[in-house]
């Protein structure tokens, strides 16, 4: 590998957001599980599709959306990934929730317009391709421009009582939107509508999340079926939204590697990956598949790391695993920047995760001479339920995809265990399946993983996993009062109990913009080069007028590297804030 | 029983009351706040003082008193900002020319020229700024600001209206929830709570304080902008040059610009002036 590890070609696009409709259709693999999820996405009723980043939610939604056309279902695809641009409004505008509510509806109107264009483009008769102007006053050219302007203003945080914005805020309602949707569906001879609301986890703004699911709940009617994509773990839906009742949950993430017909299996066969995977030994490919832990995007990354590495199989495999686990941990630790008051919880969470990995490594060493394997940990529920911070800690690990939840199991009175599988790449890294051998034998590892699972999970308690000194340091790191310096006592505190002044919460978006370039997931070489420019923080990169030429200034940063760096940073920021 | 005994006294069901003649004259002292602070700063001072009492006590009565205090602080802000605007802004003053003031107020002014500054307060004596409707009407009636209010202000007023309903219970019924309040707050949901007593937890009091603070912040920005917007129509008033306009612009700012660091935005006069010129010129 060259001096710049993060440098690589873009022949492998791992993000469904950046694929064209044609590529989505062409590059979709059809496993029974995936087809079942597509059917559920296209069927009637409200559903939430739950899975961590990179597990294929966007791909599923976009594929299902394109498939709706053929089934005479009117469908609308909208992504809400840019919600965080509206986050600063929470502390600057009294009607931030109204603005967000209207932004959600406006994005849907834009989605309706795009769906109409999509249908019209498929129309064989060129005469019929003209946009139906008289469909609804909200779909006229003029109104659509106003809506686009409103979205733009809201995302820039400059909705400033102008006439057109005020009109949209006051007049656009959920009922109005339902009428527009039903009218449009009818116009194109569709009996019903499915709304695909992607990137709806809104993890950084619980205030918006509650409002979003209020809109989601109210949009649902006899002819409209909303579907939303969310993350596991940290998503709170608000007091009026009941999962199971208002929407059925569907798991998109699956870590079943015993089956030979998963999305990742089919992905391996896919034409676009074949050029990369054809040179990889079958056993290694099987291990990379397992190490991706059910996340297609992770698999593509692992394949890329492996292919780009030089040396023997063991060195390339270990390097790919190292890079991937480092990336996962970096992503997990990025929660500290997103939610700084949970800093200690996230730190102790890493301690807990490492303990889980070590416990399972030890167990598998013990089991090596038997015909069983152990991949599952069972944590006694009583301990986890007692403390809000400890519960939150596990939810962070689940959201980051480091722990896969497998439900709970009862082993007697007051002995309910929450079961989790830790990310298998970390078990590979610790050589948990190699016994006492120091060598690297792929077929031995694969054979080991083919063993039957131990009857029970490896049962433990949080107190055994986390040293008491670490439990003691769990606390909320809340900023003190800016006026008198008194420490806050509660996370939700709004005024200082000492001096009575308002406590100012810094916008998470602004905090992200202050993040140093050194904390970005780039190689040390590349970070060093960026630091030679005027770009010192994320905000500098995002707001620079001509970032491409600025990035090209240091020696060794050509056009391709500069473009790739900017793209990587942009994707990271979007992921970070999504 | 039929024969009245002239010397007997009527039965007393409780203890007899003592006599006290209260001298209200000595209650009033010169304002502790001093004269020239921006109105919003005075509001913040009042709010933080109430916070210091209410947010450190878990007593129900402190919560109710805090509720009254917060609304009173908002009312105080409105009275003072209206007064400042009527004295300074020609459009508002013109609008108020036809409004009546009490004879008493006029008499004081005729005897004491300095009292003319308090004339707008006499004008507002019958106005109660403790409901959305009253505030909206007063803005039109006394400040001559017409048209729909922006959504941000509507939202802030809508939330404040809820606080006003709670205040009504606290003032007139010692915190007991009444049917009129239930109707105002949404009868379907609140009808079951009629006759119940308001119980404000720490979080509720913080929310009430936030709603009051939000309203004042939004109103302050709104009025500042409205006054500047309509002044911009007067072509003789502004010279489109910061050096020449500085004096007048600072007068507008003096009414609205907070000096309190927790609420102020660190914008220089010139930055504000440029924003004004770009927006309304």
């Amino acid at each position: 590998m060259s001096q710049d590890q993060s440098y690589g070609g873009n022949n492998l696009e791992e993000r469904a957001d950046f694929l064209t409709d044609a590529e989505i259709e062409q590059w979709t693999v059809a496993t029974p599980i995936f087809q079942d999820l597509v059917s559920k996405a296209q069927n009637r009723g409200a559903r939430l599709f739950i899975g961590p980043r990179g597990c294929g939610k966007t791909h599923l939604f976009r594929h299902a959306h394109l498939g709706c056309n053929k089934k005479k279902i009117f469908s609308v695809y909208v992504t809400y990934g840019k919600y965080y641009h509206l986050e600063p409004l929470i502390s600057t505008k009294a009607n931030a929730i109204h603005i967000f509510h209207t932004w959600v509806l406006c994005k849907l109107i834009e989605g309706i317009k795009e769906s109409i264009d999509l249908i019209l483009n498929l129309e064989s008769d060129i005469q019929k391709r003209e946009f139906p102007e008289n469909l609804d006053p909200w779909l006229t050219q003029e109104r659509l421009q106003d809506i686009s302007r409103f979205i733009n203003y809201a995302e820039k945080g400059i909705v400033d009582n102008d006439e057109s914005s005020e009109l949209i805020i006051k007049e656009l309602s959920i009922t109005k939107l339902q009428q527009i949707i039903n009218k449009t569906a009818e116009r194109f001879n569709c009996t019903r509508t499915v709304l695909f609301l992607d990137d709806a986890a809104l993890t950084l703004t619980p205030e918006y999340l509650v409002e979003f699911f209020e809109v989601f709940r109210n949009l649902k009617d006899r002819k409209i079926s909303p579907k939303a994509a969310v993350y596991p773990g940290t998503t709170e839906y608000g007091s009026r939204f009941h999962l199971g009742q208002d929407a059925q949950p569907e798991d998109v993430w699956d870590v079943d590697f015993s089956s030979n017909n998963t999305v990742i299996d089919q992905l391996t066969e896919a034409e676009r990956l074949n050029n990369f995977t054809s040179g990889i030994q079958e056993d290694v490919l099987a291990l990379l598949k397992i190490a991706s832990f059910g996340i297609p995007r992770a698999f593509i990354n692992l394949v890329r790391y492996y292919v780009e590495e030089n040396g023997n199989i063991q060195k390339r495999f270990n390097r790919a695993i190292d890079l991937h686990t480092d990336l996962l941990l970096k992503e997990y630790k990025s929660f500290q920047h997103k939610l700084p008051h949970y800093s200690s919880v996230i730190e102790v969470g890493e301690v807990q995760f490492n303990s889980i990995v070590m416990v399972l490594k030890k167990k598998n060493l013990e089991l090596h001479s038997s015909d069983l394997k152990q991949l599952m940990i069972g944590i006694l529920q009583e301990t986890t339920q007692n403390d809000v911070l400890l519960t939150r800690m596990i939810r962070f690990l689940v959201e980051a995809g480091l722990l896969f939840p497998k439900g709970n199991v009862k082993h007697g009175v007051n002995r309910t265990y929450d079961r989790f599988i830790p990310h298998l790449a970390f078990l590979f890294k610790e050589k948990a399946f190699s016994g006492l051998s120091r060598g690297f034998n792929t077929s031995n590892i694969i054979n080991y993983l083919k063993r039957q699972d131990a009857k029970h999970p490896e049962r433990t308690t949080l107190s055994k996993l986390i040293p008491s000194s670490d439990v003691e340091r769990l606390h909320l790191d809340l900023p003190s009062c800016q006026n008198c310096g008194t420490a806050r006592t509660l996370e939700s505190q709004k005024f200082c109990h000492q001096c009575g002044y308002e406590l100012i919460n810094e916008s998470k978006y602004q905090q992200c913009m202050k993040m140093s370039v050194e904390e970005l997931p780039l190689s040390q070489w590349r970070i060093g080069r960026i630091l030679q420019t005027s770009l010192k923080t994320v905000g500098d990169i995002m707001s620079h007028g001509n970032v491409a030429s600025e990035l090209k200034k240091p020696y060794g940063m050509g056009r391709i590297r500069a473009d790739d760096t900017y793209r990587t940073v942009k994707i990271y920021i979007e992921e970070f804030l999504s | 029983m039929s024969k009245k005994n002239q010397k007997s006294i009527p039965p007393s069901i409780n203890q007899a009351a003592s006599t006290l003649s209260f001298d209200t004259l000595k209650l009033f002292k010169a304002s502790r706040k001093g004269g020239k602070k921006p109105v919003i700063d005075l509001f913040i001072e009042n709010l933080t003082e109430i916070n210091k009492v209410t947010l450190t006590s878990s007593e129900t009565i402190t919560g109710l008193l805090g509720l009254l205090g917060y609304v009173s602080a908002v009312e105080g802000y409105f009275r003072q900002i209206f007064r400042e605007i009527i004295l300074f802004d020609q459009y508002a003053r013109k609008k108020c020319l036809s409004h009546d003031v009490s004879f008493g107020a006029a008499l004081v002014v005729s005897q004491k020229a300095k009292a003319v500054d308090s004339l707008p307060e006499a004008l507002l004596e019958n106005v109660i700024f403790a409901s959305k409707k009253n505030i909206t009407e007063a803005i039109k009636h006394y400040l001559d600001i017409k048209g729909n209010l922006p959504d941000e202000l509507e939202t802030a007023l809508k939330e404040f209206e809820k606080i006003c309903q709670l205040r009504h219970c606290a003032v007139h019924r010692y915190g007991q929830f009444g049917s009129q309040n239930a109707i105002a707050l949404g009868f379907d949901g609140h009808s079951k709570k009629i006759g119940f007593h308001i119980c404000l937890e720490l979080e509720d009091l913080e929310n009430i304080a936030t709603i009051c603070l939000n309203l004042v912040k939004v109103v302050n920005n709104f009025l500042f902008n409205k006054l500047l917007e309509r002044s911009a129509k007067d072509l003789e008033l502004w010279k489109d040059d910061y050096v020449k306009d500085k004096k007048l612009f600072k007068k507008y700012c003096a009414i609205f610009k907070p000096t309190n660091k927790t609420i102020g935005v660190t914008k220089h006069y010139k930055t504000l002036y440029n924003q004004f010129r770009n927006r309304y010129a």
Side-chain angles (χ1 to χ4, degrees):
Chain A
M1 185 69 186
S2 68
Q3 55 191 345
D4 182 8
Q5 294 290 1
S6 55
Y7 180 68
N10 283 328
N11 300 333
L12 280 173
E13 179 52 72
E14 70 272 21
R15 290 184 64 93
D17 321 50
F18 301 135
L19 298 179
T20 62
D21 288 349
E23 285 167 339
I24 287 277
E25 284 202 311
Q26 193 189 336
W27 292 346
T28 298
V29 289
T31 65
I33 296 171
F34 185 77
Q35 279 309 324
D36 182 47
L37 284 170
V38 171
S39 302
K40 283 174 175 167
Q42 292 173 335
N43 283 351
R44 285 178 194 275
R47 281 176 205 273
L48 292 195
F49 290 82
I50 304 167
R53 293 164 181 85
C55 74
K57 299 184 295 296
T58 297
H59 195 110
L60 167 72
F61 271 20
R62 287 194 62 194
H63 180 74
H65 168 55
L66 294 171
C68 280
N69 270 331
K70 294 167 195 159
K71 295 185 177 178
K72 280 284 164 199
I73 302 167
F74 183 63
S75 67
V76 181
Y77 172 84
V78 183
T79 169
Y80 289 103
K82 282 192 170 174
Y83 78 96
Y84 59 84
H85 287 282
L86 281 77
E87 189 257 351
L89 292 175
I90 293 174
S91 49
T92 57
K93 300 287 275 182
N95 62 338
I97 301 290
H98 263 191
I99 296 172
F100 172 75
H101 176 105
T102 312
W103 176 78
V104 170
L105 301 185
C106 283
K107 293 278 282 182
L108 270 165
I109 291 200
E110 276 201 337
I112 294 169
K113 160 81 170 68
E114 281 166 21
S115 291
I116 295 173
D117 287 341
L118 190 72
I119 296 172
L120 293 173
N121 277 338
L122 295 172
E123 185 62 66
S124 51
D125 186 349
I126 297 173
Q127 299 286 316
K128 290 181 183 173
R129 286 190 185 176
E130 208 169 302
F131 192 85
E133 278 286 338
N134 55 354
L135 200 56
D136 190 279
W138 283 95
L139 293 172
T140 57
Q141 204 62 34
E142 199 185 336
R143 272 290 168 86
L144 286 168
Q145 275 172 5
D146 286 345
I147 282 172
S148 168
R149 199 179 309 120
F150 177 84
I151 291 173
N152 192 18
Y153 283 174
E155 288 173 2
K156 283 182 180 162
I158 50 169
V159 181
D160 242 350
N161 308 340
D162 63 287
E163 213 174 296
S164 140
S165 301
E166 286 290 315
L167 186 88
I168 294 172
I169 291 175
K170 279 180 184 160
E171 291 192 6
L172 188 58
S173 64
I174 293 176
T175 314
K176 185 74 225 164
L177 191 71
Q178 284 172 323
Q179 286 167 3
I180 300 168
I181 292 169
N182 288 331
K183 218 188 273 182
T184 313
E186 214 172 284
R187 162 70 179 73
F188 291 102
N189 302 321
C190 298
T191 49
R192 62 189 181 88
T193 303
V194 179
L195 306 176
F196 295 104
L197 315 177
D198 203 3
D199 296 317
L202 317 181
T203 44
L204 294 187
T205 51
E207 300 89 342
Y208 288 160
L209 188 73
V210 172
E211 183 61 25
F212 182 86
F213 281 98
E214 194 57 21
V215 175
F216 180 93
R217 197 169 67 90
N218 288 310
L219 271 173
K220 183 175 70 171
D221 78 1
R222 202 167 48 84
K223 288 184 176 177
I224 301 172
S225 314
K227 321 280 168 165
V230 296
Y231 298 141
T234 48
T235 307
E236 298 281 353
Y237 305 105
S239 59
R240 278 173 288 187
F241 185 89
H242 305 287
L243 195 60
Q245 192 179 320
D246 290 312
Q248 285 301 317
E250 298 295 342
D251 286 321
V252 182
W253 185 26
D254 189 13
V255 296
D256 177 24
F257 56 83
S258 54
S259 159
N260 289 325
N261 199 14
T262 63
V263 168
I264 295 175
D265 282 304
Q266 300 238 1
L267 194 61
T268 317
E269 304 297 321
E271 202 183 329
R272 70 177 174 131
L273 262 182
N274 224 334
N275 294 338
F276 291 86
T277 56
S278 56
I280 304 175
Q281 204 188 343
E282 201 180 314
D283 283 353
V284 174
L285 201 60
L287 286 179
L288 292 178
K289 190 188 98 180
I290 296 165
S292 67
F293 208 44
I295 307 287
R297 195 186 296 168
F299 178 66
I300 297 174
N301 273 333
L302 279 163
V303 167
R304 181 187 283 162
Y305 296 145
Y306 185 85
V307 170
E308 287 172 0
E309 186 62 39
N310 297 320
N312 61 29
I313 294 173
Q314 182 176 359
K315 188 183 165 217
R316 291 166 78 187
F317 180 79
N318 288 345
R319 183 72 187 149
I321 293 290
D322 283 350
L323 284 173
H324 187 53
T325 49
D326 284 353
L327 195 78
L328 284 165
L329 276 181
K330 217 165 189 172
E331 192 179 310
Y332 169 72
K333 285 178 186 167
S334 75
F335 285 134
Q336 283 183 316
H337 293 290
K338 292 182 194 179
L339 304 161
H341 50 286
Y342 282 114
S343 237
S344 69
V345 176
I346 290 152
E347 269 172 34
V348 178
E350 194 185 342
V351 172
Q352 185 204 7
F353 179 72
N354 289 336
S355 294
I356 291 173
V357 170
M358 295 321 285
V359 165
L360 288 179
K361 178 189 175 178
K362 195 179 158 206
K363 187 69 196 172
N364 280 294
L365 283 176
E366 283 169 26
L367 289 172
H368 209 78
S369 50
S370 73
D371 55 357
L372 296 171
K373 68 174 187 297
Q374 179 60 280
L375 301 179
M376 205 183 294
I377 194 108
I379 303 173
L380 192 65
Q381 212 174 55
E382 276 68 20
T383 16
T384 55
Q385 295 293 326
N386 281 345
D387 194 318
V388 178
L389 291 182
L390 288 169
T391 313
R392 187 78 179 150
M393 188 168 71
I394 287 178
R395 282 164 60 191
F396 279 130
L397 289 166
V398 172
E399 190 191 324
L402 294 179
L403 288 182
F404 181 79
K406 289 288 276 184
N408 56 47
V409 63
K410 275 189 178 175
H411 284 258
V413 181
N414 291 335
R415 287 180 66 221
T416 304
Y417 288 87
D418 286 325
R419 297 179 303 170
F420 302 95
I421 300 177
H423 200 297
L424 296 179
F426 289 85
L427 289 172
F428 281 145
K429 192 178 178 178
E430 289 301 326
K431 300 189 171 37
F433 310 123
S434 305
L436 295 170
S437 159
R438 295 180 69 186
F440 177 71
N441 189 324
T442 50
S443 53
N444 279 356
I445 299 172
I446 287 172
N447 285 334
Y448 184 89
L449 287 168
K450 280 181 183 164
R451 290 178 179 192
Q452 212 180 342
D453 285 308
K455 193 179 174 191
H456 299 298
E458 185 62 12
R459 287 170 285 191
T460 185
T461 59
L462 272 180
S463 55
K464 283 184 192 163
L465 291 171
I466 314 169
S468 56
S469 57
D470 279 322
V471 176
E472 279 164 22
R473 70 187 176 100
L474 278 176
H475 69 282
L476 284 173
D477 306 281
L478 301 168
S480 53
C481 171
Q482 299 90 326
N483 187 51
C484 70
T486 306
R488 300 187 193 201
T489 51
L490 289 166
E491 188 188 357
S492 59
Q493 201 173 337
K494 293 186 175 76
F495 293 91
C496 174
H497 54 279
Q498 194 65 36
C499 70
Y501 276 86
E502 189 185 17
L503 297 166
I504 310 293
N505 292 315
E506 196 185 4
S507 151
K508 287 157 196 149
Y509 180 72
Q510 282 152 3
Q511 280 171 6
C512 170
M513 292 299 125
K514 281 183 191 168
M515 200 198 296
S516 163
V517 163
E518 288 164 89
E519 291 174 60
L520 290 169
L522 297 167
S523 65
Q524 283 307 313
W525 181 88
R526 206 179 288 204
I527 287 173
R529 289 294 182 276
I530 299 174
L531 288 173
Q532 290 172 14
T533 69
S534 64
L535 310 168
K536 308 292 180 210
T537 65
V538 167
D540 292 343
I541 296 177
M542 301 311 280
S543 62
H544 196 281
N546 194 354
V547 71
S549 63
E550 186 66 22
L551 282 170
K552 272 192 285 180
K553 282 180 184 171
Y555 176 75
M557 288 285 278
R559 185 181 59 81
I560 296 175
R561 275 210 178 100
D563 289 350
D564 186 62
T565 303
Y566 182 55
R567 182 178 171 276
T568 310
V569 173
K570 222 175 147 192
I571 291 172
Y572 177 72
I573 298 307
E574 279 174 15
E575 288 265 303
F576 178 90
L577 291 161
S578 64
Chain B
M1 289 292 281
S2 60
K3 205 174 181 183
K4 279 187 184 174
N5 185 347
Q6 293 298 321
K7 283 181 183 171
S8 68
I9 52 165
S12 190
I13 199 163
N14 50 260
Q15 234 177 37
S18 60
T19 304
L20 177 74
S21 174
F22 193 42
D23 180 11
T24 52
L25 204 56
K26 64 177 184 185
L27 298 177
F28 303 100
K29 290 162 192 155
S31 169
R32 65 197 154 84
K33 299 284 160 66
K36 280 295 166 194
K37 273 188 184 172
V39 182
I40 194 162
D41 278 7
L42 297 175
F43 167 78
I44 297 292
E45 280 180 19
N46 292 338
L47 183 95
T48 48
E49 273 179 29
I50 303 163
N51 280 346
K52 277 193 261 182
V53 179
T54 54
L55 304 182
T56 47
S57 165
S58 54
E59 299 290 325
T60 312
I61 187 63
T62 323
L64 283 183
L65 293 174
L67 171 64
L68 300 184
Y70 290 129
V71 179
S72 173
V74 175
E75 277 212 84
Y77 166 80
F78 273 109
R79 273 180 211 290
Q80 288 174 62
I81 201 78
F82 269 51
R83 177 189 153 207
E84 297 292 325
I85 293 171
I86 293 167
L87 289 173
F88 175 75
D89 180 71
Q90 51 167 323
Y91 297 90
R93 204 167 48 240
K94 202 173 159 190
K95 178 78 179 170
C96 290
L97 287 177
S98 57
H99 297 330
D100 300 331
V101 286
S102 70
F103 175 71
L107 192 68
V108 173
V109 171
S110 70
Q111 291 167 349
K112 200 176 166 188
K114 245 187 159 181
V116 75
D117 282 4
S118 58
L119 208 52
E121 282 192 35
L123 194 69
L124 300 167
E125 234 156 41
N126 295 323
V127 184
I128 300 163
F129 292 96
S131 79
K132 183 187 173 203
K133 193 177 163 218
N134 289 0
I135 294 170
T136 313
E137 279 176 3
I139 289 173
K140 285 178 189 163
H141 194 66
Y142 294 98
L143 305 184
D144 199 22
I145 294 172
K146 296 172 194 133
N148 289 335
L149 297 179
D151 183 68
E152 190 182 16
L153 181 51
E154 284 276 359
T155 310
L157 281 168
K158 207 171 135 192
E159 291 302 311
F160 183 64
E161 175 66 23
K162 294 177 190 168
I163 311 302
C164 293
Q165 292 299 327
L166 299 180
R167 169 207 160 267
H168 189 267
C169 305
V171 169
H172 300 292
R173 310 167 126 250
Y174 201 69
Q176 199 182 22
F177 194 52
S179 59
Q180 288 301 316
N181 307 120
I183 292 167
L185 290 172
F187 196 72
D188 285 347
H190 291 83
S191 59
K192 292 171 198 157
K193 306 287 180 187
I194 294 170
F196 283 44
H197 277 268
I198 302 172
C199 187
L200 299 169
E201 303 285 339
L202 188 68
E203 198 189 341
D204 306 317
L205 284 164
E206 282 203 312
N207 287 337
I208 290 169
T210 305
I211 289 167
C212 293
L213 180 59
N214 274 348
L215 177 66
V216 168
K217 282 179 182 173
V218 175
V219 167
N220 206 56
N221 263 332
F222 170 72
L223 295 177
F224 177 62
N225 271 280
K226 276 289 166 190
L227 260 56
L228 284 176
E229 187 186 354
R230 68 183 179 194
S231 77
K233 287 172 195 158
D234 188 344
L235 298 173
E236 306 227 322
L237 200 61
W238 300 102
K239 310 290 177 228
D240 203 22
D241 177 354
Y242 179 65
V243 178
K244 290 175 186 163
D245 288 337
K246 192 161 69 175
K247 200 175 164 190
L248 177 64
F249 188 72
K250 280 190 173 180
K251 281 185 182 171
Y252 277 92
C253 292
I255 303 174
F256 299 99
K257 197 175 187 289
T259 56
N260 189 301
K261 63 178 177 182
T262 62
I263 192 173
V265 276
T266 49
K267 273 184 191 162
H268 296 293
Y269 288 106
K270 193 168 182 182
T271 316
L272 277 171
Y273 175 79
N274 287 337
Q275 285 177 333
F276 153 66
R277 203 169 56 171
N278 293 340
R279 174 107 187 187
Y280 302 116

